[in-house]
Amino acid sequence: MAWLVVRLAISVSLLYAASAVFEDQVGKFDWRQQFIGKVRFALFDTHSQASKKLLVATDKNVFASLNSRTGDLFWRHVDKTGPEGHIDALLMYGQDAVVVVGNGRLLRSWETTVGGLKWETVLDTGSFQAAALVGVQDLVKYVAVLKKSAISLHDLSSGSQIWGENLPDSDSVQYQTIYSGENGLVFVLGIVPNSHIVIVEYKIEDGEIMNKKSVEAAWMSSLESSCAVVSSGILLCVDQITQSLYTLPLQSAEQTEMRQIHLQMLDLEVASGFRPVLTSTQPNPAQPPLSEFFLQLSPDHHILLQFKDGLIALLRDFSPSYLAAFATSGERTVAAVMSPKNDTACSINLFSADTGRKHLDTTIIYHMDPNGGKPNRLYVHAFLKKDDSVGYRVMVQTEDLTLTFLQQPGRVVWMREEALADVVTMEMVDLPFTGTQAELEGEFGKKAAIQDGLLPMVLKRLSSQFILLQAWLAHLWKLFYDARKPRSSVKHEVTIDILSRDEFNLQKMMLMVTASGKLFGIDSKSGTILWKQYLENIQPNSVFKLIVQRTTAHFPHPPQCTLLIKNKDTGLGSLYVFNPIFGKKSQISVPTLPRPVLQTLLLPVIDQDYAKVLLLIDDQYKVTAFPSTKNVLQQLQDTASSIFFYLVDSSQGKLSGFRLRKDLSTELIWEVVIPTEVQKIVAVKGKRANEHVHSQGRVMGDRSVLYKYLNPNLLAVITESTDTHQERSFVGIFLIDGVTGRIVHEAVQRKARGPVHFVHSENWVVYVYWNSKFRRNEFSVLELFEGAELYNSTVFSSLDRPHAPQVLQQSYIFPAPINTLEATLTEKGITSRHLLVGLPSGNILSLPKMFLDPRRPELVSEQSREENLIPYAPEMPIREEWFINYNQTVSRVRGIYTAPSGLESTCLVVAYGLDIYQTRVFPSKQFDVLKDDYDYILISSVLFGLFFATMISKRLAEVKLLNRAWR
Amino acid sequence: MIVNDFVCQSGDAVDTDFSGFSVPLEHSFEVDDVPRFRLRGALQLRGGRENSVYLSQNQLSEKDRSTLKDVAAVDGLYRIRVPRVSLQVDRQTERQSEGYLTTFVRACSLVESHLSDVITLHTDVSGYIIGISIVTIPGSCRGIEVEDEVDLEVFNSTISVVAPVTAPAPETAPYIERMEQEMEKKGKNPQEQKSFFAKYWMYIVPLVLFLMMSGAQDQSGGGAGGGAANGGGR
């Protein structure tokens, strides 16, 4: 019977916690955007005229097919992160795309229409150098892969290896490129830097070495960057020091030296300090490359040249020109060149490759985004029009990873913001009030109102009421107008001007900071990008910290956000202050930070303009305040003795606490040193500042209260052992008071290993680790309680809490690996908490905190049932209804951000990784909202019915009474 | 500063009573709040399975008492520190590392608690002391004047060493045991084995029949009932 009770209790509790999306709710509160990352290879499918495919391979190890008409994804394959999934080369022939993955580990062929894998071959070990398609008699049949010391030829239709040969003298010669023309030979080109180049000829059929020769080239250090093959097997190289081109026929036996052609003879000169670049094109791998090629002499100077009969002729000089690219459609090859038009726009023109003549009416105007970066890659899709002229579309990639697809005469067909594939940090900011709401706020907000007197106040009130009435009428009119139109034609276009806070504050502004240094302001309801700002000169290894200094609550002061950009190597930082709603840079003067910043601290102290004060601590423990007005400095002096902060030096295992002095210097007040020989600090987390805890304690089964230990200054420090042996490794958990440095609790999880993910909130810490003995992921929860009595119930002070809290802990098995962990957050903290677990599968699991409760009893008792405690079970369930993103998986989820909304039941969730997913969760169901399918008509008709029934029966009763009186 | 008043009295007794060793416990309280550490007492530490600690300390001199009261009056800090050491015997040679571990308490709370403090030394898994904490009982500063100088003469200290606790792993064995017991119990009692339906069929069948009869008469009534059942999931 007890077992039945246990099962019943579990099922009842599950029923209570279960929540899932109904089919008709899909996409109602949530959206997902999928990204690919920075494009490294892009190929248009020129197989057929009607094809819309654009194949891309990116630095995020993503191989995808885009619809070139809309920019949407046809399909996407996300490979492993890191070098294991790195895409080395992308080749395309017909319907097949051949990809080399993982530094030459795998060779794969994909069917491009549906994205199915046709075959996969594991290649021999060796670092990848080059890959090329090899054709025999106008038909491409093979793919050749060049490794550091070997070359192999594979069949294009099955992937089977035709032959593989070791390269001669591979320990001294660096083989770098591969070339195959029409004559049944594969050329492998290698170099001994600053000495000579080596050319080895292989026979396609059996891999027999037909010829091997070496040619003097003392000036050359790299083949790949300075050479190209043009015409029928002519190796062309450029050298910036001698300012000349060198040519060498690959196959000829008689010429044993490279022929030098001075650039001067063509009246050309390489810009000093610029490494010239040669670009050739080989439209069909079974045929030799064209004899025309581009030579780039400076960042904005390209030249189209032609190699003919051993001579080089200048076809056209493009100066200035940013980018140039070849494209082929059918038999015709064209060159597209991007030149600056004015400060904000570039023009792209088409030229025929063989003559250099400009095609008429082919200009595309590309407007550069003033908040974006410069264009750095140009991909051209050429096609034949009905009248046999060449038409084209271009895709431009900019420094800030925007992909823009343009067609004539400059219409932007689509745009993708690939910087969003690498979101580093984000915040959510409330939207401002509408003008009318703000008007009302302003009326009561201004201090001057008191001096205005009675009459102006009345007038002001009347005018604002009138404005409200006007706005309401306009709203009604709009509703009426929209209702008349068919539903499909009503476009819900979101612009920054109409954005305003909704009734329940469910729509917010998402601020996203990306690794490339581009900031985005995104509407949380629709996912529309409202503003973007590219910060130039951001080092690739920068660390960002986004701080909301002033929210939208302080009208008429605009909201203010500060981004601290810190160079990881030097530690030097800079501040970027902006308005989060419009994305405009603020005019406020920003303190310069000459010394590395160690720590930032957002104080609850506000200046006269309602901006919270940000303290920046440098490596000499000096404090810079921002803003640093007189008012702020005065406030800081007054409160200095109660401002504490901590620093963590994980290299020395040192945690230290400081107190602010009146002169903005600091003093060391505590120090904890965890020896680095045994364990190293991997993470330190405090609690979120905007977190509210509604109940101070938990009511126990016997009606007594167990008070929570709610220390806002508590830090959770996680360490990992340096010894990684599976029996001796451990994970350490330290709970340290950030003000006094007191170690509140110290625990060691034996036989455990990282990566550790953890959440620190209210009075609990939940962490996930890898159990190295049982090889499984485990959850552990720590809860802190003061006991049955509160020490000081009015206020919490770290300086006055002499008794150590009671610590309860319990662990569970979690049957899945974990990418990230976060807890839900609501306005007042009444709603029960859930943990949001990002799984590698891309699902986000909403796990009730109820399951992670160290008070879950071994044996069910009357009291535990009274308390609604679930009996302890060592394994944590994963139920598919708990996936908040149903089938909208988030690839490589890296972080989850939660924000409260105006509704207590609702928490806004954004999961980001390669994709971005936004939704709302209701941990305790929507207790404060009527259901979607609430039957208003039934309720109102019943109400009206009852009302009329009462009226009628009243009337009837009156008549009856009257009749009786007459009787 | 005068440190003559602080004489480590039990210095010689250490070697006989304890197989451990002794480290100095220093404190600092200055009106200008610039730390100048002086000896407060000696900590006798003994490693091994049961870490034990014993503190021998002297009385506060009259001068120190007045300084402490002055510091308390300006809400200054009372700081203590110990050197970083290891408790493990086998690490005797490398026991002493560089640097100190410091912590503080408000001087006023120390004065108001009549020098009743609780000092805790925290060690890591290998026995290194990683942190020290001090609290006074009571811990508050209410501004009570401590008139009697005698109250500030002798420290009433409680000192302890705390090693990290081992966090529990998922308890699979007891859980499985419990499950087995449940199964056994069920096996012993055949009455329990009967399914719910087998036990209560005599009640269920008439009920179902009744519902079917009434459902046939009134279709809409059945539909409403179903709707209510769906809503009951909340």
Side-chain angles (χ1 to χ4, degrees):
Chain A
M1 198 62 205
W3 173 229
L4 193 75
V5 170
V6 170
R7 271 210 308 216
L8 210 70
I10 292 177
S11 52
V12 165
S13 62
L14 291 183
L15 196 72
Y16 184 74
S19 61
V21 185
F22 290 103
E23 198 181 346
D24 60 339
Q25 287 180 319
V26 164
K28 207 168 170 186
F29 324 112
D30 61 324
W31 51 263
R32 176 179 69 163
Q33 287 175 7
Q34 292 186 303
F35 298 96
I36 49 175
K38 180 185 180 180
V39 172
R40 292 180 58 235
F41 306 101
L43 295 171
F44 288 95
D45 181 15
T46 48
H47 184 66
S48 73
Q49 284 294 329
S51 175
K52 294 183 282 191
K53 284 194 291 279
L54 163 61
L55 292 180
V56 286
T58 70
D59 68 338
K60 292 259 173 275
N61 303 351
V62 172
F63 177 49
S65 170
L66 297 177
N67 183 338
S68 66
R69 306 284 152 83
T70 61
D72 297 335
L73 286 170
F74 279 128
W75 46 261
R76 183 179 75 168
H77 292 289
V78 182
D79 214 323
K80 288 174 187 154
T81 49
E84 229 180 317
H86 183 259
I87 297 171
D88 302 313
L90 168 65
L91 305 165
M92 190 167 154
Y93 185 73
Q95 287 289 326
D96 300 338
V98 178
V99 175
V100 184
V101 180
N103 197 11
R105 195 171 52 90
L106 292 169
L107 184 67
R108 286 181 182 145
S109 173
W110 299 92
E111 207 281 327
T112 54
T113 335
V114 291
L117 182 67
K118 284 181 85 173
W119 50 259
E120 181 183 83
T121 314
V122 180
L123 299 175
D124 295 335
T125 51
S127 73
F128 174 82
Q129 296 298 327
L133 293 170
V134 176
V136 184
Q137 287 146 3
D138 280 6
L139 268 177
V140 178
K141 276 176 145 174
Y142 310 110
V143 56
V145 179
L146 179 70
K147 297 283 195 86
K148 198 172 184 309
S149 59
I151 176 172
S152 57
L153 198 75
H154 299 264
D155 189 81
L156 201 55
S157 56
S158 68
S160 57
Q161 185 174 322
I162 309 291
W163 51 263
E165 294 291 330
N166 282 329
L167 295 164
D169 311 324
S170 61
D171 41 355
S172 59
V173 184
Q174 299 173 13
Y175 290 96
Q176 288 180 338
T177 48
I178 197 164
Y179 162 74
S180 146
E182 81 275 49
N183 40 20
L185 291 172
V186 176
F187 295 89
V188 174
L189 309 179
I191 182 175
V192 177
N194 302 319
S195 170
H196 59 274
I197 53 176
V198 177
I199 299 162
V200 189
E201 289 172 30
Y202 285 94
K203 207 164 136 188
I204 289 180
E205 283 78 33
D206 52 7
E208 188 190 334
I209 294 182
M210 302 301 287
N211 193 8
K212 177 177 179 279
K213 65 178 175 185
S214 62
V215 180
E216 283 295 311
W219 50 271
M220 202 191 286
S221 58
S222 168
L223 262 172
E224 245 176 335
S225 57
S226 52
C227 294
V229 179
V230 295
S231 196
S232 45
I234 309 293
L235 181 69
L236 188 76
C237 298
V238 63
D239 177 35
Q240 79 218 65
I241 296 160
T242 54
Q243 296 265 346
S244 44
L245 291 165
Y246 293 86
T247 61
L248 176 77
L250 289 174
Q251 219 178 347
S252 91
E254 57 265 29
Q255 194 181 336
T256 53
E257 252 181 29
M258 296 193 94
R259 222 175 58 187
Q260 190 176 11
I261 300 166
H262 282 283
L263 282 173
Q264 232 169 356
M265 282 163 58
L266 300 159
D267 281 337
L268 298 173
E269 199 185 351
V270 179
S272 64
F274 184 77
R275 204 186 169 94
V277 182
L278 284 168
T279 315
S280 67
T281 179
Q282 188 175 11
N284 186 347
Q287 283 166 1
L290 296 188
S291 53
E292 292 80 21
F293 58 94
F294 272 116
L295 172 63
Q296 188 180 6
L297 295 171
S298 78
D300 56 354
H301 191 187
H302 291 77
I303 291 155
L304 184 65
L305 298 167
Q306 189 180 41
F307 180 87
K308 208 171 187 180
D309 310 326
L311 291 169
I312 286 174
L314 192 146
L315 290 180
R316 199 174 177 113
D317 190 337
F318 301 101
S319 180
S321 58
Y322 290 146
L323 298 164
F326 285 111
T328 304
S329 175
E331 292 299 303
R332 293 164 70 173
T333 301
V334 288
V337 178
M338 179 190 269
S339 320
K341 192 161 178 275
N342 52 38
D343 287 347
T344 59
C346 289
S347 65
I348 303 163
N349 283 299
L350 210 58
F351 300 87
S352 71
D354 46 356
T355 58
R357 199 177 301 130
K358 187 174 175 177
H359 285 233
L360 289 173
D361 302 326
T362 55
T363 307
I364 290 181
I365 304 293
Y366 169 69
H367 291 280
M368 284 191 285
D369 185 356
N371 303 326
K374 291 191 190 72
N376 62 0
R377 291 291 283 277
L378 183 68
Y379 303 96
V380 184
H381 179 214
F383 53 88
L384 287 176
K385 288 187 193 161
K386 285 202 180 88
D387 59 352
D388 212 32
S389 64
V390 182
Y392 75 122
R393 301 187 187 95
V394 289
M395 184 169 80
V396 182
Q397 184 173 18
T398 53
E399 285 169 340
D400 56 331
L401 309 187
T402 307
L403 291 178
T404 315
F405 195 78
L406 299 139
Q407 69 177 33
Q408 280 176 310
R411 193 172 78 84
V412 176
V413 184
W414 51 262
M415 219 170 179
R416 289 181 70 91
E417 291 291 351
E418 290 305 333
L420 285 171
D422 204 349
V423 174
V424 183
T425 178
M426 67 166 294
E427 282 289 338
M428 268 186 166
V429 181
D430 295 349
L431 288 170
F433 291 114
T434 53
T436 49
Q437 284 167 321
E439 179 74 26
L440 271 182
E441 283 278 306
E443 182 191 346
F444 301 112
K446 276 172 200 153
K447 286 171 198 152
I450 305 150
Q451 296 143 19
D452 276 3
L454 196 65
L455 194 67
M457 282 288 277
V458 170
L459 284 177
K460 204 184 249 177
R461 161 43 70 95
L462 281 178
S463 74
S464 53
Q465 292 283 20
F466 179 71
I467 291 167
L468 272 183
L469 183 73
Q470 217 175 2
W472 186 64
L473 285 176
H475 175 71
L476 277 188
W477 172 247
K478 194 170 174 289
L479 272 185
F480 174 69
Y481 195 75
D482 282 350
R484 279 171 51 205
K485 279 197 274 187
R487 188 165 283 187
S488 57
S489 73
V490 181
K491 251 190 168 175
H492 289 286
E493 215 157 84
V494 186
T495 56
I496 209 150
D497 309 313
I498 60 157
L499 265 191
S500 66
R501 196 181 300 185
D502 59 336
E503 243 173 307
F504 299 121
N505 202 2
L506 289 165
Q507 191 177 8
K508 293 198 179 198
M509 179 67 89
M510 289 161 56
L511 300 178
M512 296 197 129
V513 183
T514 63
S516 62
K518 196 166 185 183
L519 310 182
F520 290 90
I522 299 173
D523 168 33
S524 76
K525 199 176 183 182
S526 60
T528 319
I529 295 171
L530 296 171
W531 59 262
K532 48 202 171 188
Q533 178 71 49
Y534 177 57
L535 307 178
E536 277 170 70
N537 307 322
I538 298 284
Q539 299 299 315
N541 59 351
S542 294
V543 188
F544 300 92
K545 185 160 183 180
L546 187 60
I547 302 136
V548 182
Q549 278 196 292
R550 182 165 55 218
T551 60
T552 28
H554 304 287
F555 185 83
H557 299 288
Q560 182 182 324
C561 276
T562 302
L563 181 69
L564 173 71
I565 307 149
K566 191 172 141 185
N567 190 315
K568 213 173 191 171
D569 295 333
T570 62
L572 289 173
S574 60
L575 293 176
Y576 177 79
V577 186
F578 62 100
N579 177 337
I581 303 300
F582 299 102
K584 289 202 186 75
K585 190 176 175 176
S586 171
Q587 300 302 320
I588 294 172
S589 66
V590 174
T592 50
L593 306 167
R595 301 212 60 85
V597 178
L598 294 183
Q599 174 75 290
T600 57
L601 193 64
L602 190 68
L603 296 181
V605 175
I606 51 170
D607 72 349
Q608 69 270 37
D609 292 339
Y610 305 100
K612 283 186 185 164
V613 176
L614 180 69
L615 294 187
L616 301 148
I617 295 109
D618 66 20
D619 65 343
Q620 290 183 335
Y621 312 116
K622 288 270 180 334
V623 172
T624 313
F626 170 70
S628 56
T629 55
K630 217 172 174 185
N631 176 314
V632 168
L633 294 177
Q634 182 61 44
Q635 285 191 59
L636 280 181
Q637 270 189 17
D638 296 345
T639 54
S641 63
S642 60
I643 295 173
F644 298 86
F645 61 90
Y646 69 94
L647 295 177
V648 184
D649 182 353
S650 61
S651 65
Q652 293 177 31
K654 191 190 276 183
L655 291 133
S656 39
F658 293 82
R659 185 165 79 156
L660 197 67
R661 287 217 190 104
K662 289 201 191 310
D663 57 348
L664 290 192
S665 65
T666 57
E667 57 178 332
L668 180 76
I669 49 172
W670 60 263
E671 225 172 345
V672 167
V673 186
I674 301 168
T676 48
E677 300 93 69
V678 184
Q679 52 195 330
K680 58 176 196 297
I681 299 170
V682 288
V684 178
K685 253 188 210 172
K687 289 178 190 172
R688 288 178 66 163
N690 57 348
E691 177 183 277
H692 295 274
V693 181
H694 182 256
S695 58
Q696 293 287 311
R698 284 184 58 164
V699 181
M700 317 265 285
D702 59 359
R703 302 284 173 224
S704 65
V705 176
L706 188 61
Y707 286 100
K708 295 174 183 171
Y709 179 76
L710 296 167
N711 183 349
N713 309 316
L714 199 65
L715 303 174
V717 180
I718 301 283
T719 63
E720 277 178 40
S721 62
T722 46
D723 190 346
T724 51
H725 186 273
Q726 62 159 23
E727 286 290 326
R728 292 189 298 271
S729 67
F730 64 88
V731 166
I733 306 98
F734 299 85
L735 299 178
I736 298 178
D737 189 300
V739 171
T740 62
R742 181 182 183 191
I743 298 176
V744 170
H745 184 67
E746 187 185 354
V748 170
Q749 194 81 48
R750 305 261 175 199
K751 296 178 184 104
R753 193 149 55 75
V756 180
H757 302 281
F758 67 113
V759 177
H760 182 197
S761 177
E762 279 187 50
N763 64 329
W764 48 265
V765 179
V766 171
Y767 61 92
V768 192
Y769 57 91
W770 172 256
N771 186 323
S772 51
K773 189 183 176 199
F774 293 110
R775 298 174 176 278
R776 64 193 181 196
N777 285 88
E778 289 179 3
F779 257 114
S780 196
V781 57
L782 276 163
E783 279 196 23
L784 290 91
F785 293 100
E786 291 225 351
E789 268 176 56
L790 268 183
Y791 178 76
N792 178 356
S793 56
T794 48
V795 67
F796 188 95
S797 166
S798 285
L799 297 168
D800 181 18
R801 273 290 132 142
H803 304 292
Q806 300 169 15
V807 182
L808 301 175
Q809 187 167 15
Q810 215 168 52
S811 301
Y812 316 88
I813 302 162
F814 190 71
I818 282 176
N819 268 15
T820 181
L821 197 65
E822 188 53 84
T824 59
L825 192 68
T826 51
E827 180 90 359
K828 299 269 178 260
I830 299 168
T831 308
S832 59
R833 306 291 294 271
H834 277 204
L835 285 170
L836 300 171
V837 187
L839 305 176
S841 62
N843 285 307
I844 294 157
L845 181 76
S846 178
L847 187 67
K849 170 70 177 56
M850 197 162 49
F851 281 90
L852 289 156
D853 184 347
R855 302 191 61 251
R856 282 174 71 175
E858 286 277 332
L859 290 166
V860 192
S861 68
E862 200 61 47
Q863 290 203 350
S864 71
R865 213 172 303 152
E866 181 82 25
E867 240 186 290
N868 262 334
L869 291 175
I870 308 160
Y872 180 79
E875 185 164 346
M876 192 72 65
I878 293 184
R879 293 162 63 92
E880 256 127 73
E881 310 93 273
W882 292 351
F883 291 154
I884 57 168
N885 55 344
Y886 46 106
N887 64 353
Q888 306 279 300
T889 53
V890 185
S891 267
R892 290 196 197 137
V893 55
R894 226 180 20 252
I896 297 174
Y897 179 87
T898 52
S901 72
L903 282 173
E904 171 55 33
S905 67
T906 310
C907 168
L908 303 176
V909 177
V910 181
Y912 54 88
L914 188 62
D915 304 339
I916 296 174
Y917 179 75
Q918 190 278 144
T919 191
R920 301 174 193 166
V921 290
F922 319 101
S924 298
K925 299 281 187 130
Q926 287 178 282
F927 60 81
D928 49 4
V929 183
L930 288 179
K931 271 189 180 172
D932 272 353
D933 53 358
Y934 186 77
D935 205 339
Y936 293 95
I937 295 166
L938 184 76
I939 286 285
S940 43
S941 58
V942 164
L943 266 178
F944 276 112
L946 281 173
F947 177 71
F948 285 117
T950 1
M951 295 285 282
I952 291 161
S953 56
K954 198 178 166 192
R955 176 84 192 128
L956 287 176
E958 271 172 15
V959 170
K960 201 175 179 183
L961 270 177
L962 194 68
N963 285 343
R964 197 182 289 162
W966 276 108
R967 209 176 284 156
Chain B
M1 267 289 121
I2 305 150
V3 288
N4 297 345
D5 294 344
F6 292 85
V7 179
C8 188
Q9 287 193 323
S10 53
D12 292 344
V14 172
D15 293 327
T16 51
D17 288 344
F18 282 89
S19 62
F21 55 98
S22 134
V23 292
L25 173 70
E26 294 169 300
H27 63 173
S28 151
F29 43 95
E30 304 294 335
V31 180
D32 60 357
D33 224 10
V34 177
R36 279 183 284 272
F37 284 97
R38 292 158 288 160
L39 196 68
R40 166 171 162 181
L43 287 167
Q44 316 291 331
L45 296 161
R46 189 165 56 176
R49 194 159 283 276
E50 292 258 316
N51 293 324
S52 63
V53 64
Y54 171 74
L55 175 66
S56 62
Q57 54 193 352
N58 250 13
Q59 297 183 348
L60 279 181
S61 71
E62 199 163 320
K63 188 176 175 198
D64 282 328
R65 287 201 295 266
S66 66
T67 317
L68 188 61
K69 282 179 88 175
D70 290 346
V71 174
V74 297
D75 197 13
L77 303 182
Y78 172 81
R79 303 155 190 263
I80 55 168
R81 72 172 187 190
V82 287
R84 290 177 57 197
V85 290
S86 167
L87 295 182
Q88 285 322 31
V89 185
D90 54 324
R91 289 215 184 83
Q92 290 284 345
T93 46
E94 42 162 320
R95 188 197 289 151
Q96 189 104 23
S97 320
E98 279 167 43
Y100 289 89
L101 302 165
T102 52
T103 189
F104 71 98
V105 71
R106 284 160 82 189
C108 55
S109 66
L110 188 70
V111 170
E112 283 180 33
S113 67
H114 304 258
L115 302 188
S116 314
D117 56 353
V118 180
I119 298 172
T120 314
L121 296 168
H122 296 268
T123 67
D124 71 352
V125 275
S126 57
Y128 270 108
I129 296 181
I130 58 164
I132 179 170
S133 71
I134 178 169
V135 288
T136 60
I137 293 176
S140 56
C141 280
R142 293 209 178 81
I144 305 162
E145 275 292 307
V146 179
E147 289 297 333
D148 199 354
E149 289 278 322
V150 184
D151 284 340
L152 294 179
E153 257 176 19
V154 189
F155 279 103
N156 175 19
S157 302
T158 314
I159 187 152
S160 56
V161 177
V162 174
V165 297
T166 302
E171 292 161 26
T172 37
Y175 181 76
I176 292 166
E177 210 172 282
R178 210 173 71 225
M179 290 296 105
E180 274 168 1
Q181 275 175 7
E182 301 281 354
M183 294 294 279
E184 258 174 49
K185 215 189 269 175
K186 229 193 263 177
K188 271 182 203 158
N189 197 347
Q191 197 71 42
E192 289 278 314
Q193 237 170 354
K194 268 191 178 177
S195 76
F196 179 76
F197 197 77
K199 266 194 285 183
Y200 302 108
W201 66 271
M202 63 280 266
Y203 305 108
I204 293 166
V205 170
L207 192 78
V208 169
L209 278 173
F210 174 75
L211 280 175
M212 273 168 69
M213 300 279 274
S214 61
Q217 280 168 357
D218 185 12
Q219 282 290 340
S220 61
N230 286 342
R234 287 186 73 166

